[in-house]
Amino acid sequence: MTTLPTSTTRKLGLVIDLDTCVGCHACVVSCKGWNTENYGAPLSDQDPYGADPSGTFLNRVHSYEVQPLATSAMPHPAAQLVHFPKSCLHCEDAPCVTVCPTGASYKRVEDGIVLVNESDCIGCGLCAWACPYGAREMDAAEGVMKKCTLCVDRIYNDNLPEEDRVPACVRTCPAGARHFGDLGNPDSDVSKLVAERDGMDLMPEQGTKPVNQYLPPRPRDTLDEVDVLAPLLDPVAEEPKGFLGWLDRTLERL
Amino acid sequence: MHPARSVIAFTTLSGAGFGVLFWLGLGLPDVTGWVAFAFFAVAYALAAGGLLASTFHLGHPERAWKAFSQWRSSWLSREGVASVAALVVMGVYGAALVFLDTRIAPLGWLGAALALATVYTTSMIYAQMRTVPRWKTPLTPVLFIAVSLAGGALLAGQVTAAMALLAVAGLVQVLWWMRGDGALAASGTDMATATGLGGIGHVRAFAPPHTGSNYLLREFVFVVGRKHAAKLRMIALALGYALPLVLLALPFSHAAAALAAISHLVGIAVSRWLFFAEAEHVVGLYYGAR
Ligand code: SF4
Ligand code: SF4
């Protein structure tokens, strides 16, 4: 059914910390690794070793350079490099679901996860048109729409050890930049983190009400002394004293 | 947006085909027997041919029937339902005209309304997309319906109506372009809101996620040929609207009428190419493109 539920019991999603992400792409690799061999059609690659490789990914990491404006206090502020992982945000008002003509796309009432039932998908691509975030990709080999499932086949999987029952990207992130939990519960760890760090929606004006939240990068530290070695180069004695002082003054007079 | 040939052919041909069905449903021209057959054959070839072309870009055309199920929420599903309803109703109405020499007027009116509804649902597939600010305007359905009625009148031999509607459609087309050129800027979506980093400073795409291309770039960040947009707009206006108007104004001849119809369809196809090629999808902002 492609009408959206009026509310969901839980709002499972990710919190992505732009302050700590180091842009290593480990989440991209682990996502592709898990999802190409589990739920649904594999994530195919086209011409992977050739001149023009491309493939289906459910998670991609962009990098942006942000240049702060110059101020009189800081005439030449340093640009900041921000690594930016992006996958489905499991929007509350998911436009990708309502446009689907077949009922293949749906949002689950129990946890808010947005999924595609691949055996109903006709591969019209309209849901990818409707998603502002580029979170849906049509698989070129299968002709069906692929998207992040929030690792629905891990998080409820009793065959996995408890610590592995989180999305593959969260489990693998070496920087601890990805967090998983119920954003509908204000007492959950992720909700507290979002409140503490002023978590934000991407493209709020698109009205999608994303569940996933992004934590903005914190301002970079500034050091008072620009040259960290300078103190070591300070002259040991400014004014020579004693015999050397006399010599200095005498030579000065000559 | 990537201007897929199948979708351009579909919106151009089906738009004209359902336009002809609209006029036939109203009894304009009031034809029966073999003459009616000829008109209906042209209308069905265009409308159904276009629909068929639109299934070519599906990943799984064999499941297309499933698309009739979600009419409660999806404009694409509504389009499927409306188009089949229009074709069936007009089929019965046309059969009565051709084989029984009888005009069942209320059935014709219903068919005309359904034909118009089909064009409206097609236009709403685009007009609903907040992700493509150029399309997200009530002017989009107005444009599609005006073009369809004008093309239909042209092909149905309704000279006076065709001339008036071509002028109106041409005007709407120009307005649509003028509004569209500022639509992305007016939408409020830019790299700052896309990344949420605008509060820190000016955001620049530094490195894309992959060195190669991908589905998103191919489908949504189509920028090839935009530099010819101004010229193509003139060609679309001249062939789609101006030349047919001039040809219709001349003393009537079948050759001129045929030329007018062909010129109109070619012009509309060019404008539909621009409809896609010029459309900026906001996902391009993540790649520093528009
Ligand atoms: S991020 Fe895109 S694909 Fe995911 S729920 Fe939102 S609109 Fe749909
Ligand atoms: S591509 Fe598949 S999931 Fe997406 S709108 Fe079309 S049928 Fe629905």
Side-chain angles (χ1 to χ4, degrees), chain A residues 87-97 107 114 127 130-136 147-148 208 210:
Chain A
S87 52
C88 173
L89 290 89
H90 298 279
C91 306
E92 277 178 60
D93 265 338
C96 56
V97 170
K107 185 169 176 72
V114 175
C127 53
C131 171
Y133 309 106
R136 290 177 167 242
K147 70 177 292 299
C148 160
T208 54

Side-chain angles (χ1 to χ4, degrees), chain B residues 50-173:
Chain B
L51 281 175
L52 213 63
S54 75
T55 62
F56 290 162
H57 82 289
L58 295 181
H60 282 274
E62 78 283 4
R63 298 178 192 152
W65 60 272
K66 295 192 179 193
F68 295 116
S69 65
Q70 301 302 312
W71 49 270
R72 284 185 202 79
S73 73
S74 163
W75 282 106
L76 180 54
S77 184
R78 288 173 197 159
E79 181 197 42
V81 173
S83 62
V84 170
L87 291 177
V88 168
V89 169
M90 286 306 286
V92 175
Y93 170 77
L97 279 181
V98 173
F99 301 112
L100 307 176
D101 279 349
T102 337
R103 176 155 181 265
I104 313 170
L107 201 60
W109 297 333
L110 177 65
L114 286 169
L116 215 56
T118 306
V119 178
Y120 178 68
T121 52
T122 306
S123 68
M124 283 309 290
I125 295 173
Y126 306 108
Q128 70 177 331
M129 291 286 166
R130 192 171 276 177
T131 49
V132 186
R134 195 182 278 275
W135 293 350
K136 177 119 182 64
T137 160
L139 272 180
T140 300
V142 174
L143 176 65
F144 273 59
I145 288 177
V147 169
S148 166
L149 289 181
L154 188 59
L155 289 162
Q158 304 303 303
V159 177
T160 330
M163 288 176 68
L165 285 164
L166 278 172
V168 172
L171 190 70
V172 177
Q173 175 72 84

Side-chain angles (χ1 to χ4, degrees), chain A residues 2 96 99-105 116-117 120-128 136 138 144-145, chain B residues 76:
Chain A
T2 57
C96 56
V99 297
C100 175
T102 62
S105 276
V116 176
N117 175 357
D120 278 351
C121 174
I122 55 174
C124 65
L126 209 58
C127 53
R136 290 177 167 242
M138 179 98 73
V144 294
M145 197 51 75
Chain B
L76 180 54

Side-chain angles (χ1 to χ4, degrees), chain A residues 71-111:
Chain A
T71 58
S72 45
M74 184 71 83
H76 300 293
Q80 211 171 319
L81 191 64
V82 181
H83 302 293
F84 197 98
K86 188 162 56 59
S87 52
C88 173
L89 290 89
H90 298 279
C91 306
E92 277 178 60
D93 265 338
C96 56
V97 170
T98 50
V99 297
C100 175
T102 62
S105 276
Y106 61 105
K107 185 169 176 72
R108 308 205 320 171
V109 181
E110 61 269 37
D111 51 19

Side-chain angles (χ1 to χ4, degrees), chain B residues 6-7 9-15 44-56:
Chain B
S6 57
V7 178
F10 158 60
T11 62
T12 307
L13 299 179
S14 284
Y44 271 78
L46 291 170
L51 281 175
L52 213 63
S54 75
T55 62
F56 290 162

